[in-house]
C-alpha cells in the first residue's frame, strides 16, 4: 500500500528566508515522488519529480527536493522564499510495481510573510 | 488544446439529481485520470483511462459513479442520485503513455455542490 504524510498543515516563513515543506512516504519498493502546487481556483501544477539518480532534484520556480531513502522522505525546499510562493503544496507518490494511482498527501499551506 | 479543460467550473444540484462533468484532455495524451478533492484533503484517485478503456476504476466509491471516454479523448464523469457527501472538487488530469513516472497535467476542476 502507498501512503504519504505531510506532517504540517501550515508553514509560515518570512520573505527571503529559506523554506522547507516536509513529506514522508511509504511504498513497496522504490518510489516515484512528485511535488505539486495549487493556487486558489486553479489546478494542481507540477513542480518536480524524483525518478532515479541524484537525490537532489531541481524543479520549477527555484524549488528543489531531496530524496532520502533511509528516512523515506522527500522534503521540498527553496533557499529564499517569495510572497508569490504562498500556496497549497502537495507531495505525491507512486510505486514502481505498475500502480496507476498517484497517491497524494493532505497538503501543506505555505504562507510567506512580507 | 493547450491545457486540460473541465466544464462546468461550478455545479450546484439538489440531492438525488443526476450530474455529468466533462473533461477535455491535452491533445495526444492517451492517459486520463479523474480525482476527487474534498475540503482540506488531497486529491483522491477515482478512475484511470488508457485510450478508450477504463484501465483502473478501483477508486470509484460506489456504483452511482461512472465514467466514459468513448473516443479516447473527452471523458465524462457521471454521478447518479447525488448525495450531499458527493460535494467536492472533481479534478481531471491527463498524461502521455502509461502512469509510471509520467507527469499528470491537471485541469482547474469542477466544483460540485449538492444541496
Amino acid at each position: 500500500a502507498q501512503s504519504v504524510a505531510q506532517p504540517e498543515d501550515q508553514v509560515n516563513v518570512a520573505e527571503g528566508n529559506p523554506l522547507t515543506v516536509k513529506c514522508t512516504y511509504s511504498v513497496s519498493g522504490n518510489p516515484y515522488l512528485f511535488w505539486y502546487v495549487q493556487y486558489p481556483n486553479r489546478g494542481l501544477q507540477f513542480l518536480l519529480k524524483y525518478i532515479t539518480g541524484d537525490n537532489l532534484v531541481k524543479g520549477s520556480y527555484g524549488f528543489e527536493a531531496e530524496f532520502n531513502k533511509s528516512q523515506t522522505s522527500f522534503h521540498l525546499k527553496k533557499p529564499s522564499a517569495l510572497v508569490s510562493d504562498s500556496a497549497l503544496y502537495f507531495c505525491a507518490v507512486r510505486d514502481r510495481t505498475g500502480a496507476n494511482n498517484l497517491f497524494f498527501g493532505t497538503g501543506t499551506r505555505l504562507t510567506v510573510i512580507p | 488544446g493547450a491545457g486540460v479543460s473541465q466544464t462546468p467550473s461550478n455545479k450546484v444540484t439538489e440531492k438525488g439529481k443526476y450530474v455529468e462533468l466533462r473533461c477535455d484532455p491535452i491533445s495526444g495524451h492517451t492517459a486520463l485520470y479523474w480525482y476527487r478533492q474534498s475540503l482540506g484533503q488531497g486529491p483522491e484517485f477515482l478512475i484511470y483511462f488508457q485510450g478508450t478503456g477504463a484501465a483502473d476504476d478501483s477508486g470509484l466509491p460506489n456504483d452511482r459513479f461512472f465514467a466514459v471516454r468513448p473516443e479516447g479523448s473527452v471523458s465524462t464523469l457521471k454521478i447518479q442520485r447525488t448525495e450531499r457527501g458527493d460535494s467536492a472538487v472533481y479534478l481531471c488530469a491527463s498524461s502521455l503513455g502509461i502512469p509510471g513516472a509520467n507527469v499528470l497535467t491537471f485541469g482547474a476542476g469542477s466544483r460540485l455542490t449538492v444541496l
Side-chain angles (χ1 to χ4, degrees):
Chain A
Q2 305 168 102
S3 67
V4 175
Q6 293 184 244
E8 301 157 316
D9 292 335
Q10 174 82 42
V11 170
N12 296 326
V13 63
E15 186 177 23
N17 282 4
L19 69 87
T20 299
V21 182
K22 295 179 181 177
C23 172
T24 58
Y25 65 89
S26 175
V27 294
S28 301
N30 294 316
Y32 296 120
L33 292 158
F34 302 79
W35 276 101
Y36 281 81
V37 60
Q38 188 173 40
Y39 297 99
N41 300 316
R42 294 175 65 179
L44 290 151
Q45 295 179 32
F46 169 74
L47 279 179
L48 51 80
K49 67 179 178 180
Y50 171 80
I51 303 175
T52 188
D54 194 347
N55 289 341
L56 185 63
V57 178
K58 293 188 183 296
S60 307
Y61 313 119
F63 283 93
E64 57 191 27
E66 186 166 12
F67 171 62
N68 187 317
K69 186 173 183 178
S70 63
Q71 297 185 5
T72 61
S73 67
F74 190 55
H75 301 331
L76 182 70
K77 301 182 180 185
K78 187 173 182 181
S80 179
L82 301 173
V83 173
S84 58
D85 293 331
S86 299
L88 192 54
Y89 290 81
F90 290 96
C91 182
V93 65
R94 181 187 285 128
D95 70 35
R96 296 176 189 245
T97 62
N100 300 311
N101 182 9
L102 184 59
F103 195 90
F104 286 84
T106 53
T108 298
R109 183 164 299 282
L110 173 69
T111 300
V112 181
I113 302 163
Chain B
V4 178
S5 176
Q6 291 188 246
T7 55
S9 55
N10 276 287
K11 176 70 177 180
V12 180
T13 191
E14 294 179 341
K15 181 175 178 294
K17 299 291 188 181
Y18 170 79
V19 166
E20 288 191 354
L21 306 175
R22 174 189 165 106
C23 173
D24 197 345
I26 291 174
S27 179
H29 279 191
T30 57
L32 185 146
Y33 306 78
W34 284 98
Y35 280 77
R36 179 170 68 174
Q37 187 175 16
S38 300
L39 194 63
Q41 300 297 315
E44 295 177 288
F45 170 77
L46 295 177
I47 186 169
Y48 154 63
F49 287 89
Q50 185 60 246
T52 60
D56 184 347
D57 64 358
S58 61
L60 294 177
N62 52 59
D63 61 6
R64 296 188 297 106
F65 288 75
F66 190 71
V68 295
R69 195 186 185 198
E71 297 177 358
S73 178
V74 171
S75 177
T76 305
L77 178 66
K78 308 181 181 196
I79 310 174
Q80 298 177 320
R81 305 183 304 280
T82 52
E83 299 178 356
R84 291 193 180 88
D86 299 335
S87 296
V89 177
Y90 289 83
L91 299 170
C92 178
S94 68
S95 71
L96 288 168
I98 60 173
N102 278 314
V103 172
L104 273 59
T105 301
F106 282 85
S110 293
R111 182 177 299 276
L112 175 65
T113 303
V114 182
L115 301 177

